[in-house]
Every structure is written in structure tokens, then in C-alpha cells.
Amino acid sequence: GAEEMWEGAPARFAGRCMALKRTRNHCRYALPLWFLGTLGILLQVFLDFCLLVVPTALVAWFTVLFLPASEAVGSSDYFQTTPLLEILWQMGLYAFVTTWVTIVLVSVVGCLFLRCTPTSPGQYPSRGLKAHLLLYRVKMMDQIQRVWTWSIFGQYLRSLAGVRFTHPGASECDVMFNLVPELIRADSEVFWSHGCYTNVLDQGSEHVTLRGIDMPANSFLGNNCVAEHGHLPSNFLLGVSTPASDIRFRRQMRSRLGESITVAGNPPLKFGSADFEVENEARRPPSLLLFLARVSLHDIFSVGILPIAEVLVYAILYTVLLSLGGHAVVSACLALVLAEFALVAFCVLLKRLVVGNQWGRSHSTPFWSLRHFTYFTMQDCFFAWCGRSMRTLGGTVLANRTLRLMGCRIGRRTIIADPLQAFDWNAVNIGDDCIIDGMLQFHSFENMTLKVKRTEIWDGSTVCFGATVMGGAVIERETTLLPMSLVMKEMRLPTAIYEGSPTEPTPAQGRHERARIGEVEKRIS
């Protein structure tokens, strides 16, 4: 209806809203909309050229000057006359230097641009130049976060971009979408999970509204959650796929920390919570060797080496095929196909060596531990090396073969729309004839501890688009999860049709079950 607000999953009427005339009068345009749109596109093209193309070209040019061997790669007989080990060393060194230095330089330049173009809170016309620039800055911040995720260097890049940390480096920050850096304030021991969102930039049909968010100490934001603008409480855990604002949960005192609060669901429900202060006192700081291991695995290996692995494997295969007398064009096409198989095979072998075939069924490890770092590094390898083939085979039964080799238990004729969702390999147990099109979240961080537990989805079940299934859940046969459903940890769902967050049987299903129980009771009486 007109001027109605709806919320929740499934959505329910929550109240009414009224558009202010002052806001409507403020969002008038002095120039034609087609002209503003053209200027916005030209602005983005110009900024992309200055912030992305120019730094990349400079790194490539300087690398050629300092690595003379890179010039020989372009010669026609380079691959026939040069030994394979020398080719691997020269191309590997060149690719690593250009890739890693380019990523660092582009990220630093982008963060400096974000730092030098701050935006004040307020309302801006949706089709004006300020809104175009604001959306471009949000997109650039998302790109930088996707590259560095929760690495140590990525936390300082966020601080350079304008995020106001009380103690830079004292929090764990993964990818938070829709982030406007200068309007984010975060205290120490704040945890952003991968793929969480913030609503500091609220887009409307006539205007965009920009407001800040304050995340005090011990704030934990789960995957796919939405932290809206305002002052969140301290000792606050926002669950997976859960929206929350300071209207429901507001910080009460600044002189001391508040009580522990855990919320989950849509609309959010309040659950019991552990004492954060006791857990923080029992936690030990990591050793220097463990800190260096994390930097080496994530800041250097995952960012600088993983993206070039595909190029190196292709170069090796192409060189071998040419040395065997193959045609140049045929060798190039064949090397592309063989490179994908080689990367998948190497990923399967490395997973079995690093993770094993057992860890992840029902295990836990501290956040600051080598087991945790290697487990997530192996996931980065899976995304980088198997991503192309998994996206190509997604939605077919052909992807299941690779997932089974990685440790997943997947039945016959089961279709997973996005096979990369099954990255907690040993925790995946899916039966026959299932359709999986939702979000599989089989690991969680609780009290700075990584916990992974096997989830069972029995034969003939359907997980619709947007539904989330968490670790330890058991979904019995021929069960359907409607869109935006949330199956929380350890839940067991008997055969039925479920909806909502947290999920529950649909009203029609509930009436059917009550009628069936009543009929059984009549027979017994």
C-alpha cells in the first residue's frame, strides 16, 4: 500500500512513512538528467584511468627496466631455446612482482583518493554528480576489500581510506559492502565477517541518505548481516543474515561496556550470550612466528601468488607442448584446457595434505592458530584455482565430481547452483536429488574460535535462492526451504515446507500437521 513499510522474512507490515516536502524540494536538478548521467559516466571513466590504468602501466614499465629477462619472453624462439626451469623462474618472478606491486600500489592510490574526497552526512539527489561520486567511492572501497579481505595489511588500508579505528590493527575486518570509510567508527576487537553489509548509504528513488555508524568494542557482525546506521551497543553479536539498527539495539553508556547481546533472525530475535570480558581476559596474544605466518599466507601468498598461478601453469604446459613439436595455435588451446585440469588436481592434492579428509566434520580451533590460517588459505586456493571451472559447471551434476574429490559428500543427481558455496568441504553432506541454490554457512566464529560442523541435507530437499543453512543443521528428506529462510546452527527440520528467519513451517503446513495429528488422535481414541 501507499506509504507502507514492510520488514522481515516473510515480510510483514511494520508501519507507515511520510516523505518530507523539504527533502523533495532539496532534490531538484538544475541540469537535465541525461546531461548529469553523461557527466557521471565520464567521471567514472576518468577516475578509472587515473586510479587503475596509470598505476598498472607504471609498474609494468618499471618492472621491465629492472628485470631485463622479461623482454626476452616476447621473442619468437624463447620457449624453444630456454630451459623450463629458467622459464618458470623468470616468468614467476616477473608475474609476482608486477601483480603484487600493482595490487599494493593501486590499493594505496585508491585509499588516498578515498581519504582526500570525504563526504559529509546528509541527503543528496540520486541522479546528481555528488551521488555518482559517492557510489563510485563505495564501489572502489568494495574492490579494495575484496582483494585484501581480512589480511593485516588490509586493515591498515581501511584506516588509510578514512575508517576511524581506535587502534588500527586491533580488529578483524573482512569484506563489508556499502562501506563509506569516513563514516565508519570502530573500536578495538571489532569483527567483520565476510560479506556483511552496512546501511550507512541508504538509496532512495529521489535521494540517497548518508549517515554514520559507530561500532564499539566487542562488536561481531556475521556473514550476510546488515548493520544499519547509528550507535550499536558494545558486546554485540549480530548473527548471520540478520539486520539490526540502533532503534532496537542502542548503546546506553560510554563510560563502561554494556551487557552481552546476541541477536539473529529477521526481524532480529535476542538470544542468550556469553560474557565477553571473561573470554577476553583468558585470551593470549599471538606469538611473533604465528603473526608472521599469517602475514606470509594471506598478505603475500593469497594476494600476490594465487592470481598468477593460472598463468604460470599455462606457460609451463604451453612450453612443454611446443618442445614436443606441437603447433603454436593448437598448443595454446590445448594448454588452456589442460591448465584447468592441472589446477583442480593440484588443489585437490593440496587440500588433502593441508586440511585432510577428517578435519571440519566437527572441529574447532582458536582464531590465532596455524590450523585456522591454513584452512582459510586453502579456501583461497579453491576459489582462485577452481573458480573458473566451478562457475562454468555450476547448476549441473558435473561439478559434483570435483566437490567429492575435495571431500564433500554429495548424492546422485544433486544440483548445486553455486558449487563454490561448498567450501567447508568435509562438513558438506547432501543426499540424492537435491537442489541447492542458497547460502551454505557451515563454519562460524564464536568467541574468537573457528568452529566447523557437518550439516546434513537429506534426499529430495530443496534450498531455494537466498535461504541460509548454518553448521550442524539436519534437514530431513523432501524438505523445502523457501527464499530468505534461515536455518540456524544445530536445528533439525522434519519433512515440511519452511519459511522465515529463523525458519518455521509455513502456515498451510502447520494447519496440515495439526489436522493430521488430530486424525491420528481420533484413531487412537
Side-chain angles (χ1 to χ4, degrees):
E3 299 180 348
E4 291 184 355
M5 295 188 300
W6 289 59
E7 68 173 0
R12 299 177 178 88
F13 175 74
R16 296 186 179 274
C17 60
M18 179 181 295
L20 300 177
K21 294 182 179 180
R22 181 177 59 184
T23 303
R24 185 176 302 174
N25 296 332
H26 174 70
C27 296
R28 293 178 178 177
Y29 302 95
L31 299 174
L33 294 182
W34 66 266
F35 185 70
L36 292 175
T38 303
L39 289 180
I41 294 175
L42 295 177
L43 176 65
Q44 295 186 40
V45 172
F46 174 75
L47 292 176
D48 281 340
F49 178 80
C50 296
L51 302 177
L52 300 177
V53 178
V54 173
T56 303
L58 289 176
V59 171
W61 181 59
F62 277 107
T63 306
V64 170
L65 296 179
F66 289 102
L67 296 177
S70 59
E71 299 178 353
V73 178
S75 60
S76 58
D77 58 344
Y78 173 78
F79 292 100
Q80 287 83 2
T81 60
T82 308
L84 180 60
L85 293 179
E86 185 177 349
I87 292 176
L88 180 61
W89 165 250
Q90 292 179 356
M91 293 193 64
L93 180 61
Y94 178 78
F96 172 75
V97 171
T98 53
T99 302
W100 197 81
V101 174
T102 299
I103 291 175
V104 172
L105 181 59
V106 168
S107 300
V108 171
V109 171
C111 290
L112 290 175
F113 166 76
L114 295 172
R115 187 66 175 260
C116 297
T117 56
T119 307
S120 302
Q123 293 180 332
Y124 303 94
S126 299
R127 297 161 185 84
L129 283 180
K130 290 185 177 180
H132 279 291
L133 179 61
L134 183 59
L135 293 176
Y136 179 84
R137 297 177 70 247
V138 170
K139 181 182 71 173
M140 172 164 288
M141 193 68 209
D142 290 346
Q143 293 174 349
I144 295 173
Q145 290 186 98
R146 284 192 183 98
V147 172
W148 294 98
T149 61
W150 58 286
S151 61
I152 297 293
F153 192 67
Q155 299 180 34
Y156 287 94
L157 285 175
R158 291 175 177 86
S159 180
L160 178 63
V163 177
R164 293 175 291 174
F165 290 108
T166 304
H167 302 287
S171 298
E172 295 297 338
C173 304
D174 212 314
V175 182
M176 175 184 284
F177 294 106
N178 208 27
L179 188 151
V180 181
E182 63 271 12
L183 298 181
I184 306 297
R185 178 181 173 85
D187 208 334
S188 58
E189 298 181 358
V190 172
F191 196 111
W192 303 346
S193 298
H194 183 82
C196 61
Y197 296 82
T198 180
N199 197 34
V200 295
L201 177 61
D202 192 0
Q203 300 189 45
S205 59
E206 296 182 353
H207 59 272
V208 295
T209 304
L210 192 61
R211 290 165 287 198
I213 183 173
D214 182 11
M215 290 174 282
N218 292 329
S219 298
F220 184 99
L221 308 182
N223 300 79
N224 205 37
C225 73
V226 180
E228 300 189 24
H229 57 87
H231 299 270
L232 297 179
S234 57
N235 292 335
F236 185 62
L237 193 154
L238 184 59
V240 172
S241 301
T242 302
S245 66
D246 64 350
I247 297 177
R248 284 193 177 96
F249 311 100
R250 184 184 296 272
R251 186 175 183 179
Q252 299 298 324
M253 298 187 65
R254 294 185 176 273
S255 58
R256 58 184 174 87
L257 298 178
E259 63 177 3
S260 301
I261 301 176
T262 299
V263 298
N266 186 13
L269 301 176
K270 190 173 180 180
F271 293 83
S273 182
D275 189 352
F276 285 95
E277 295 183 4
V278 176
E279 295 162 356
N280 292 337
E281 291 176 359
R283 195 178 303 151
R284 296 181 179 179
S287 63
L288 178 61
L289 291 178
L290 192 59
F291 176 82
L292 295 178
R294 177 180 176 180
V295 173
S296 301
L297 288 174
H298 298 286
D299 295 55
I300 297 178
F301 178 78
S302 295
V303 176
I305 298 180
L306 283 184
I308 67 175
E310 188 174 8
V311 177
L312 293 180
V313 172
Y314 170 77
I316 294 173
L317 294 175
Y318 180 70
T319 304
V320 172
L321 293 176
L322 285 181
S323 63
L324 295 177
H327 189 272
V329 178
V330 176
S331 299
C333 297
L334 187 58
L336 285 174
V337 178
L338 294 178
E340 293 299 323
F341 285 98
L343 288 171
V344 172
F346 186 66
C347 187
V348 171
L349 177 61
L350 191 61
K351 181 264 174 185
R352 294 183 178 181
L353 293 176
V354 175
V355 179
N357 295 325
Q358 300 294 329
W359 200 93
R361 295 184 178 182
S362 182
H363 296 87
S364 62
T365 183
F367 180 91
W368 281 94
S369 64
L370 192 60
R371 166 66 71 177
H372 166 228
F373 297 153
T374 54
Y375 185 70
F376 272 78
T377 300
M378 195 61 241
Q379 289 184 359
D380 292 338
C381 296
F382 177 64
F383 298 143
W385 297 343
C386 301
R388 188 187 303 274
S389 60
M390 289 293 97
R391 282 187 288 268
T392 303
L393 301 177
T396 68
V397 297
L398 300 178
N400 297 342
R401 179 59 181 172
T402 301
L403 294 178
R404 293 189 188 105
L405 293 175
M406 293 295 296
C408 302
R409 290 187 177 184
I410 302 176
R412 296 170 296 177
R413 300 177 299 277
T414 289
I415 294 178
I416 302 179
D418 184 6
L420 293 176
Q421 283 284 326
F423 52 82
D424 289 307
W425 310 283
N426 296 333
V428 177
N429 190 358
I430 304 175
D432 302 334
D433 302 303
C434 295
I435 301 295
I436 310 297
D437 196 15
M439 177 181 175
L440 305 180
Q441 185 64 43
F442 297 162
H443 75 265
S444 62
F445 286 100
E446 303 174 29
N447 311 327
M448 293 300 290
T449 299
L450 170 65
K451 295 184 178 181
V452 189
K453 191 168 185 179
R454 171 169 288 179
T455 299
E456 299 181 12
I457 303 177
W458 294 5
D459 300 347
S461 296
T462 300
V463 180
C464 294
F465 179 81
T468 302
V469 182
M470 298 191 66
V474 177
I475 302 175
E476 297 187 5
R477 59 186 307 117
E478 298 181 358
T479 296
T480 299
L481 298 178
L482 296 181
M484 301 309 297
S485 301
L486 172 62
V487 181
M488 302 185 67
K489 296 183 301 179
E490 311 291 341
M491 289 183 70
R492 187 181 185 96
L493 305 184
T495 300
I497 300 176
Y498 292 88
E499 67 177 1
S501 176
T503 191
E504 58 184 1
T506 59
Q509 185 71 34
R511 291 192 297 267
H512 174 73
E513 288 295 324
R514 287 191 295 270
R516 185 179 64 83
I517 293 174
E519 184 178 343
V520 172
E521 290 176 348
K522 289 181 180 179
R523 292 178 181 177
I524 294 176
S525 60

